Protein backbone atom coordinates (compact mmCIF):
# COMPACT_ATOMS: atom_id res chain seq x y z
CA UNK A 1 0.00 0.00 0.00
CA UNK A 2 1.24 3.49 -0.68
CA UNK A 3 0.92 6.25 1.88
CA UNK A 4 -1.24 9.32 1.47
CA UNK A 5 0.83 12.53 1.20
CA UNK A 6 -1.16 14.37 3.89
CA UNK A 7 -3.03 13.70 7.09
CA UNK A 8 -6.82 13.90 6.92
CA UNK A 9 -8.07 17.47 7.16
CA UNK A 10 -9.50 17.11 10.65
CA UNK A 11 -6.24 15.72 12.08
CA UNK A 12 -3.94 18.56 13.09
CA UNK A 13 -0.38 17.77 14.13
CA UNK A 14 0.18 21.24 15.61
CA UNK A 15 0.96 22.99 18.91
CA UNK A 16 -2.18 22.62 20.96
CA UNK A 17 -2.78 26.13 22.37
CA UNK A 18 -2.94 28.20 19.15
CA UNK A 19 -4.76 25.39 17.34
CA UNK A 20 -7.35 25.12 20.07
CA UNK A 21 -7.82 28.89 20.20
CA UNK A 22 -8.57 28.79 16.51
CA UNK A 23 -10.97 25.83 16.80
CA UNK A 24 -12.80 27.49 19.71
CA UNK A 25 -13.40 30.63 17.69
CA UNK A 26 -16.29 28.82 15.93
CA UNK A 27 -19.60 29.13 17.82
CA UNK A 28 -20.80 26.70 20.50
CA UNK A 29 -22.98 27.19 23.59
CA UNK A 30 -20.69 25.88 26.34
CA UNK A 31 -17.44 23.96 26.51
CA UNK A 32 -16.92 20.81 28.59
CA UNK A 33 -13.39 19.46 29.10
CA UNK A 34 -13.10 15.81 30.08
CA UNK A 35 -9.88 14.66 31.76
CA UNK A 36 -8.82 11.83 34.00
CA UNK A 37 -6.94 12.50 37.22
CA UNK A 38 -3.53 12.26 35.51
CA UNK A 39 -4.30 14.43 32.52
CA UNK A 40 -5.96 16.94 34.89
CA UNK A 41 -2.58 17.24 36.56
CA UNK A 42 -0.18 17.04 33.60
CA UNK A 43 -2.10 18.23 30.53
CA UNK A 44 -5.02 20.43 31.56
CA UNK A 45 -2.73 23.21 32.91
CA UNK A 46 -1.06 23.42 29.47
CA UNK A 47 -4.40 24.31 27.88
CA UNK A 48 -5.86 26.73 30.35
CA UNK A 49 -4.90 29.88 28.46
CA UNK A 50 -6.87 28.63 25.45
CA UNK A 51 -10.00 27.75 27.47
CA UNK A 52 -12.92 30.10 28.15
CA UNK A 53 -13.41 30.98 31.84
CA UNK A 54 -16.86 29.40 32.02
CA UNK A 55 -15.86 25.95 30.77
CA UNK A 56 -17.01 22.88 32.65
CA UNK A 57 -14.16 20.60 33.76
CA UNK A 58 -15.20 16.98 34.28
CA UNK A 59 -12.53 14.78 35.84
CA UNK A 60 -12.86 11.00 36.14
CA UNK A 61 -10.57 8.40 37.75
CA UNK A 62 -7.68 7.24 35.50
CA UNK A 63 -7.41 3.71 34.14
CA UNK A 64 -9.02 1.13 31.87
CA UNK A 65 -11.06 -0.23 34.79
CA UNK A 66 -13.00 3.06 34.74
CA UNK A 67 -13.88 2.84 31.05
CA UNK A 68 -17.32 1.59 32.06
CA UNK A 69 -20.95 2.63 32.20
CA UNK A 70 -20.75 3.86 35.82
CA UNK A 71 -18.17 6.47 34.78
CA UNK A 72 -20.32 7.51 31.82
CA UNK A 73 -23.18 8.09 34.23
CA UNK A 74 -21.06 10.54 36.24
CA UNK A 75 -20.07 12.31 33.00
CA UNK A 76 -23.67 12.57 31.74
CA UNK A 77 -24.75 13.75 35.22
CA UNK A 78 -22.14 16.54 35.23
CA UNK A 79 -23.22 17.60 31.73
CA UNK A 80 -26.88 17.55 32.71
CA UNK A 81 -26.36 19.45 35.97
CA UNK A 82 -24.41 22.12 34.10
CA UNK A 83 -27.33 22.43 31.68
CA UNK A 84 -25.32 21.60 28.53
CA UNK A 85 -27.51 21.82 25.45
CA UNK A 86 -27.14 20.29 21.99
CA UNK A 87 -24.81 23.09 20.84
CA UNK A 88 -22.30 22.31 23.58
CA UNK A 89 -18.79 21.19 22.64
CA UNK A 90 -16.72 18.57 24.45
CA UNK A 91 -12.92 18.34 24.57
CA UNK A 92 -11.54 14.90 25.35
CA UNK A 93 -8.13 15.48 26.91
CA UNK A 94 -6.42 12.19 27.64
CA UNK A 95 -5.41 8.77 26.43
CA UNK A 96 -7.50 6.20 24.60
CA UNK A 97 -9.71 5.64 27.62
CA UNK A 98 -10.77 9.30 27.62
CA UNK A 99 -11.09 9.65 23.84
CA UNK A 100 -13.11 6.38 23.56
CA UNK A 101 -15.35 7.10 26.55
CA UNK A 102 -15.59 10.89 26.16
CA UNK A 103 -16.51 10.47 22.50
CA UNK A 104 -19.11 7.87 23.48
CA UNK A 105 -20.64 10.18 26.10
CA UNK A 106 -20.65 13.14 23.69
CA UNK A 107 -22.06 11.13 20.78
CA UNK A 108 -24.97 9.87 22.90
CA UNK A 109 -25.73 12.96 25.04
CA UNK A 110 -28.97 14.45 23.69
CA UNK A 111 -28.42 12.27 20.59
CA UNK A 112 -24.98 13.73 20.04
CA UNK A 113 -22.98 16.88 20.61
CA UNK A 114 -19.75 17.87 18.84
CA UNK A 115 -16.45 16.75 20.30
CA UNK A 116 -12.75 17.38 19.73
CA UNK A 117 -10.02 14.90 20.70
CA UNK A 118 -6.81 16.08 22.32
CA UNK A 119 -4.93 12.78 22.70
CA UNK A 120 -2.18 12.84 25.31
CA UNK A 121 -0.71 9.32 25.06
CA UNK A 122 1.26 7.90 22.16
CA UNK A 123 -1.38 5.19 21.81
CA UNK A 124 -4.21 7.69 21.51
CA UNK A 125 -2.20 9.95 19.18
CA UNK A 126 -1.41 7.23 16.64
CA UNK A 127 -4.51 5.11 17.03
CA UNK A 128 -7.40 5.53 19.48
CA UNK A 129 -8.27 9.16 18.72
CA UNK A 130 -8.43 8.53 14.95
CA UNK A 131 -11.12 6.63 13.08
CA UNK A 132 -14.34 7.22 14.99
CA UNK A 133 -14.59 4.06 17.10
CA UNK A 134 -16.09 5.06 20.45
CA UNK A 135 -17.09 2.93 23.38
CA UNK A 136 -16.67 1.39 26.77
CA UNK A 137 -15.97 -2.01 28.29
CA UNK A 138 -18.88 -4.04 29.61
CA UNK A 139 -18.92 -6.98 32.03
CA UNK A 140 -15.24 -7.49 31.42
CA UNK A 141 -15.46 -7.47 27.62
CA UNK A 142 -13.42 -4.83 25.84
CA UNK A 143 -15.21 -2.12 23.86
CA UNK A 144 -18.41 -4.13 24.07
CA UNK A 145 -20.79 -1.15 23.95
CA UNK A 146 -20.15 1.68 21.52
CA UNK A 147 -20.67 3.32 18.17
CA UNK A 148 -18.90 5.04 15.30
CA UNK A 149 -18.81 8.83 15.27
CA UNK A 150 -16.07 11.16 14.13
CA UNK A 151 -14.41 13.81 16.24
CA UNK A 152 -14.78 17.23 14.68
CA UNK A 153 -11.03 17.68 15.02
CA UNK A 154 -8.10 15.79 16.50
CA UNK A 155 -5.22 17.94 17.70
CA UNK A 156 -2.01 16.03 18.15
CA UNK A 157 0.78 17.72 20.07
CA UNK A 158 3.74 15.44 20.84
CA UNK A 159 4.64 17.87 23.65
CA UNK A 160 2.07 16.06 25.84
CA UNK A 161 4.20 12.90 25.73
CA UNK A 162 6.90 14.50 27.89
CA UNK A 163 5.08 13.56 31.11
CA UNK A 164 3.95 10.14 29.90
CA UNK A 165 5.59 7.26 31.84
CA UNK A 166 7.93 5.12 29.71
CA UNK A 167 5.78 2.01 30.15
CA UNK A 168 2.82 3.89 28.66
CA UNK A 169 4.90 5.20 25.77
CA UNK A 170 6.06 1.67 25.02
CA UNK A 171 2.43 0.51 25.08
CA UNK A 172 1.59 3.05 22.38
CA UNK A 173 4.58 1.91 20.39
CA UNK A 174 2.86 -1.48 19.91
CA UNK A 175 0.29 0.19 17.64
CA UNK A 176 3.09 1.96 15.73
CA UNK A 177 4.68 -1.44 15.05
CA UNK A 178 1.29 -2.89 14.14
CA UNK A 179 0.60 -0.17 11.57
CA UNK A 180 3.96 -0.83 9.93
CA UNK A 181 3.50 -4.61 9.96
CA UNK A 182 0.07 -4.57 8.34
CA UNK A 183 0.69 -1.98 5.66
CA UNK A 184 4.19 -0.55 5.35
CA UNK A 185 7.16 -2.84 5.00
CA UNK A 186 9.64 0.03 4.63
CA UNK A 187 8.49 1.52 7.90
CA UNK A 188 8.82 -1.89 9.56
CA UNK A 189 12.43 -2.07 8.35
CA UNK A 190 13.07 1.49 9.55
CA UNK A 191 11.68 0.85 13.04
CA UNK A 192 14.15 -1.96 13.56
CA UNK A 193 17.16 0.25 12.82
CA UNK A 194 17.40 1.91 16.23
CA UNK A 195 16.25 1.42 19.81
CA UNK A 196 12.56 2.32 20.03
CA UNK A 197 13.20 4.97 22.70
CA UNK A 198 15.42 6.90 20.28
CA UNK A 199 13.00 7.15 17.38
CA UNK A 200 11.96 10.66 16.32
CA UNK A 201 8.40 10.79 17.64
CA UNK A 202 6.97 13.57 15.51
CA UNK A 203 7.69 11.82 12.25
CA UNK A 204 6.82 8.39 13.66
CA UNK A 205 3.44 9.73 14.81
CA UNK A 206 2.75 11.43 11.50
CA UNK A 207 3.62 8.31 9.55
CA UNK A 208 1.64 6.01 11.81
CA UNK A 209 -1.50 8.18 11.67
CA UNK A 210 -1.11 8.28 7.90
CA UNK A 211 -1.33 4.49 7.72
CA UNK A 212 -4.35 4.27 10.05
CA UNK A 213 -6.16 7.15 8.36
CA UNK A 214 -5.65 5.67 4.91
CA UNK A 215 -7.12 2.32 5.98
CA UNK A 216 -10.05 3.98 7.80
CA UNK A 217 -10.78 6.22 4.81
CA UNK A 218 -11.15 3.16 2.59
CA UNK A 219 -13.45 1.33 4.99
CA UNK A 220 -14.78 3.63 7.75
CA UNK A 221 -17.31 1.16 9.23
CA UNK A 222 -15.06 -1.91 9.21
CA UNK A 223 -16.98 -3.88 6.62
CA UNK A 224 -13.74 -5.40 5.32
CA UNK A 225 -10.27 -3.88 4.89
CA UNK A 226 -10.31 -1.96 8.20
CA UNK A 227 -10.23 -5.32 9.97
CA UNK A 228 -6.51 -5.56 9.22
CA UNK A 229 -6.05 -3.03 12.05
CA UNK A 230 -7.08 -5.88 14.34
CA UNK A 231 -3.83 -7.77 13.77
CA UNK A 232 -2.70 -8.91 17.24
CA UNK A 233 -6.02 -7.90 18.74
CA UNK A 234 -8.00 -11.15 18.72
CA UNK A 235 -5.70 -12.96 21.14
CA UNK A 236 -4.50 -9.60 22.52
CA UNK A 237 -8.00 -8.52 23.58
CA UNK A 238 -8.72 -11.94 25.07
CA UNK A 239 -5.57 -11.64 27.13
CA UNK A 240 -6.23 -8.00 28.09
CA UNK A 241 -9.84 -8.79 29.18
CA UNK A 242 -8.76 -11.81 31.18
CA UNK A 243 -6.01 -9.88 32.97
CA UNK A 244 -8.33 -6.92 33.61
CA UNK A 245 -10.27 -9.15 35.99
CA UNK A 246 -7.17 -10.20 37.93
CA UNK A 247 -5.32 -8.33 40.66
CA UNK A 248 -4.08 -4.86 39.63
CA UNK A 249 -0.43 -6.08 39.49
CA UNK A 250 -1.39 -8.62 36.80
CA UNK A 251 -3.13 -6.12 34.53
CA UNK A 252 -1.57 -5.45 31.16
CA UNK A 253 -1.60 -2.16 29.31
CA UNK A 254 -3.46 -2.33 26.00
CA UNK A 255 -0.28 -2.21 23.91
CA UNK A 256 1.42 -4.85 26.04
CA UNK A 257 -1.43 -7.30 25.44
CA UNK A 258 -1.36 -6.42 21.74
CA UNK A 259 2.41 -6.99 21.55
CA UNK A 260 1.92 -10.51 22.94
CA UNK A 261 -1.09 -10.91 20.63
CA UNK A 262 1.03 -9.93 17.60
CA UNK A 263 3.66 -12.54 18.48
CA UNK A 264 1.00 -15.27 18.79
CA UNK A 265 -0.79 -14.11 15.65
CA UNK A 266 2.51 -14.09 13.74
CA UNK A 267 2.62 -17.80 14.46
CA UNK A 268 -0.96 -18.11 13.20
CA UNK A 269 0.04 -16.00 10.17
CA UNK A 270 2.77 -18.49 9.39
CA UNK A 271 0.44 -21.45 9.92
CA UNK A 272 -2.59 -20.06 8.08
CA UNK A 273 -1.69 -17.09 5.88
CA UNK A 274 1.67 -17.83 4.30
CA UNK A 275 3.94 -15.62 6.44
CA UNK A 276 7.45 -16.96 5.81
CA UNK A 277 8.99 -18.67 8.82
CA UNK A 278 12.03 -16.37 8.85
CA UNK A 279 9.80 -13.28 8.94
CA UNK A 280 7.65 -14.81 11.65
CA UNK A 281 10.76 -15.28 13.76
CA UNK A 282 12.11 -11.77 13.05
CA UNK A 283 8.81 -10.23 14.11
CA UNK A 284 8.63 -12.29 17.29
CA UNK A 285 12.28 -11.62 18.12
CA UNK A 286 11.83 -7.87 17.67
CA UNK A 287 8.60 -7.64 19.70
CA UNK A 288 10.01 -9.80 22.48
CA UNK A 289 13.10 -7.58 22.65
CA UNK A 290 10.91 -4.51 23.25
CA UNK A 291 8.54 -6.46 25.60
CA UNK A 292 10.79 -9.12 27.18
CA UNK A 293 8.48 -9.84 30.13
CA UNK A 294 6.14 -12.82 29.71
CA UNK A 295 2.54 -11.63 29.26
CA UNK A 296 0.86 -15.07 29.38
CA UNK A 297 1.60 -17.98 31.64
CA UNK A 298 0.99 -21.62 30.76
CA UNK A 299 -1.77 -21.96 33.35
CA UNK A 300 -3.62 -18.93 31.92
CA UNK A 301 -4.04 -20.44 28.44
CA UNK A 302 -7.48 -22.04 29.06
CA UNK A 303 -8.91 -18.80 30.49
CA UNK A 304 -7.56 -16.77 27.56
CA UNK A 305 -8.96 -19.27 25.03
CA UNK A 306 -12.33 -19.10 26.79
CA UNK A 307 -12.40 -15.40 26.06
CA UNK A 308 -12.09 -15.84 22.30
CA UNK A 309 -15.66 -16.78 21.33
CA UNK A 310 -16.97 -13.43 22.63
CA UNK A 311 -14.75 -11.50 20.27
CA UNK A 312 -16.72 -9.14 18.00
CA UNK A 313 -14.79 -10.29 14.96
CA UNK A 314 -16.43 -13.73 15.03
CA UNK A 315 -18.93 -14.93 12.52
CA UNK A 316 -20.78 -18.08 13.46
CA UNK A 317 -18.63 -20.39 15.53
CA UNK A 318 -15.30 -19.56 13.97
CA UNK A 319 -12.83 -17.24 15.59
CA UNK A 320 -11.59 -14.89 12.90
CA UNK A 321 -8.18 -13.24 12.85
CA UNK A 322 -6.40 -10.59 10.85
CA UNK A 323 -3.11 -12.14 9.81
CA UNK A 324 0.05 -11.22 7.93
CA UNK A 325 0.89 -12.67 4.54
CA UNK A 326 4.24 -10.98 4.86
CA UNK A 327 5.59 -8.04 6.84
CA UNK A 328 3.75 -5.03 5.38
CA UNK A 329 0.76 -6.94 4.06
CA UNK A 330 -2.24 -8.28 5.95
CA UNK A 331 -5.46 -10.15 5.27
CA UNK A 332 -8.60 -10.47 7.36
CA UNK A 333 -11.38 -12.94 8.22
CA UNK A 334 -8.87 -15.78 8.58
CA UNK A 335 -10.40 -18.57 10.66
CA UNK A 336 -8.29 -20.51 13.12
CA UNK A 337 -9.34 -23.25 15.50
CA UNK A 338 -9.08 -23.05 19.28
CA UNK A 339 -6.38 -25.70 19.08
CA UNK A 340 -4.33 -23.54 16.73
CA UNK A 341 -4.80 -20.57 19.06
CA UNK A 342 -3.55 -22.73 21.92
CA UNK A 343 -0.48 -23.73 19.90
CA UNK A 344 0.20 -20.07 19.13
CA UNK A 345 0.08 -19.18 22.83
CA UNK A 346 2.35 -22.09 23.67
CA UNK A 347 4.82 -21.01 20.99
CA UNK A 348 4.89 -17.57 22.58
CA UNK A 349 5.40 -18.95 26.09
CA UNK A 350 8.19 -21.32 24.94
CA UNK A 351 9.80 -18.59 22.79
CA UNK A 352 9.66 -20.86 19.77
CA UNK A 353 11.49 -18.35 17.57
CA UNK A 354 14.79 -18.67 19.42
N1 LIG B 1 -10.94 3.71 19.38
C1 LIG B 1 -9.93 3.07 18.86
O1 LIG B 1 -9.81 2.93 17.64
C2 LIG B 1 -8.88 2.52 19.77
C3 LIG B 1 -7.67 2.08 19.24
C4 LIG B 1 -6.69 1.63 20.11
C5 LIG B 1 -6.94 1.61 21.48
N2 LIG B 1 -8.14 2.02 21.96
C6 LIG B 1 -8.40 2.04 23.41
O2 LIG B 1 -7.49 2.94 24.02
C7 LIG B 1 -7.34 2.56 25.38
C8 LIG B 1 -5.89 2.63 25.77
O3 LIG B 1 -5.41 3.92 25.59
P1 LIG B 1 -4.18 4.50 26.42
O4 LIG B 1 -3.08 3.54 26.40
O5 LIG B 1 -3.96 5.87 25.95
O6 LIG B 1 -4.76 4.44 27.93
P2 LIG B 1 -5.20 5.54 29.00
O7 LIG B 1 -6.14 6.52 28.45
O8 LIG B 1 -5.60 4.78 30.22
O9 LIG B 1 -3.84 6.31 29.33
C9 LIG B 1 -2.77 5.62 29.92
C10 LIG B 1 -2.35 6.27 31.26
O10 LIG B 1 -1.59 7.43 30.99
C11 LIG B 1 -2.13 8.55 31.73
N3 LIG B 1 -1.83 9.72 30.91
C12 LIG B 1 -2.43 10.08 29.77
N4 LIG B 1 -1.77 11.11 29.20
C13 LIG B 1 -0.75 11.43 30.02
C14 LIG B 1 0.30 12.40 29.95
N5 LIG B 1 0.45 13.20 28.90
N6 LIG B 1 1.17 12.45 30.99
C15 LIG B 1 1.06 11.57 32.03
N7 LIG B 1 0.12 10.62 32.14
C16 LIG B 1 -0.78 10.55 31.13
C17 LIG B 1 -3.57 8.20 31.90
O11 LIG B 1 -4.13 8.88 33.00
C18 LIG B 1 -3.51 6.70 32.16
O12 LIG B 1 -3.15 6.45 33.48
C19 LIG B 1 -7.93 1.18 25.52
O13 LIG B 1 -9.16 1.29 26.21
C20 LIG B 1 -8.16 0.74 24.09
O14 LIG B 1 -9.26 -0.14 23.95
C21 LIG B 1 -9.10 2.48 21.14
ZN1 LIG C 1 -5.19 -1.49 19.80
Amino acid sequence: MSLPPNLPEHVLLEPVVPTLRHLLSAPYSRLAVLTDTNTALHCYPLLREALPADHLHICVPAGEEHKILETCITIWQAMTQAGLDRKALMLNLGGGVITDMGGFCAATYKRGIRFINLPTTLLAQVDASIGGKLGIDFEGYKNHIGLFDDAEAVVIDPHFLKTLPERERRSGYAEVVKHALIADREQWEALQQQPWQELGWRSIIEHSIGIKAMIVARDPLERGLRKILNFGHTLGHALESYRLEQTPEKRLLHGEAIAAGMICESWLSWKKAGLPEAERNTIARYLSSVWPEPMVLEEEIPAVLDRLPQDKKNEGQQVLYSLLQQAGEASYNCAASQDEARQALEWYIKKGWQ
Side-chain angles (χ1 to χ4, degrees), residues 36 38 64 67 95-97 100 120-121 133 142 160 163 168:
D36 67 22
N38 294 324
E64 181 75 28
K67 191 178 145 183
V97 167
D100 276 16
T120 61
T121 63
K133 275 192 181 179
K142 287 276 304 164
F160 282 127
T163 54
E168 294 288 351

Side-chain angles (χ1 to χ4, degrees), residues 235-266:
L235 278 162
H237 270 164
L239 177 58
E240 187 183 7
S241 307
Y242 164 70
R243 286 289 190 94
L244 200 56
E245 289 176 355
Q246 311 304 306
T247 52
E249 315 79 70
K250 289 194 97 184
R251 284 188 193 155
L252 294 174
L253 301 182
H254 177 72
E256 293 173 338
I258 290 335
M262 287 193 285
I263 296 179
C264 297
E265 293 182 19
S266 293

Side-chain angles (χ1 to χ4, degrees), residues 35-43 46 60-65 67 93-101 118-137 142-143 158-165 168-169 171-172 175 178-179 212 216 226 229 233 237 240 253-255 258:
T35 68
D36 67 22
T37 41
N38 294 324
T39 60
L41 190 68
H42 298 295
C43 308
L46 306 179
V60 297
E64 181 75 28
E65 65 274 29
K67 191 178 145 183
L93 177 66
V97 167
I98 291 297
T99 57
D100 276 16
M101 180 166 57
L118 306 178
T120 61
T121 63
L122 178 60
L123 191 136
Q125 294 192 345
V126 299
D127 195 352
S129 69
I130 316 271
K133 275 192 181 179
L134 311 172
I136 53 171
D137 305 336
K142 287 276 304 164
N143 304 325
H159 188 76
F160 282 127
L161 304 183
K162 292 204 165 122
T163 54
L164 192 66
E168 294 288 351
R169 205 171 305 161
S171 170
E175 305 283 12
K178 180 196 75 180
H179 288 163
K212 170 140 189 196
V216 169
R226 184 172 175 167
L229 288 163
H233 282 61
H237 270 164
E240 187 183 7
L253 301 182
H254 177 72
I258 290 335

